[in-house]
Amino acid sequence: MKLTKDIKESYDELVHKVSWPTQKQLINSSVLVLIASIIIAVFIWAVDKIFELLMQFIYGL
């Protein structure tokens, strides 16, 4: 019966204790994560290209 008790407690916590974000907060957070991911991806791409050019220069000597 411990499983049943755990399920009931989990349900009560999700329904009564968790503060869910509003739709606007969720959208704002998602947009922020998307923008940060794009910025990080562009930065990693740029660093990769710089190292590629550096290696081509070094091995081209």
Side-chain angles (χ1 to χ4, degrees), residues 10 12-21:
S10 296
D12 283 341
E13 186 171 340
L14 283 172
V15 171
H16 301 293
K17 294 181 182 177
V18 173
S19 63
W20 296 98

Side-chain angles (χ1 to χ4, degrees), residues 4-57:
T4 307
K5 181 182 174 190
D6 287 344
I7 292 172
K8 285 179 182 178
E9 288 176 357
S10 296
Y11 175 79
D12 283 341
E13 186 171 340
L14 283 172
V15 171
H16 301 293
K17 294 181 182 177
V18 173
S19 63
W20 296 98
T22 63
Q23 184 176 5
K24 183 174 174 121
Q25 290 172 330
L26 187 61
I27 291 171
N28 287 341
S29 296
S30 299
V31 169
L32 181 65
V33 168
L34 180 64
I35 291 171
S37 298
I38 290 170
I39 291 170
I40 291 169
V42 168
F43 174 76
I44 291 172
W45 174 82
V47 170
D48 182 53
K49 284 298 176 185
I50 290 169
F51 278 115
E52 179 185 358
L53 293 172
L54 183 62
M55 290 295 111
Q56 285 177 355
F57 175 75

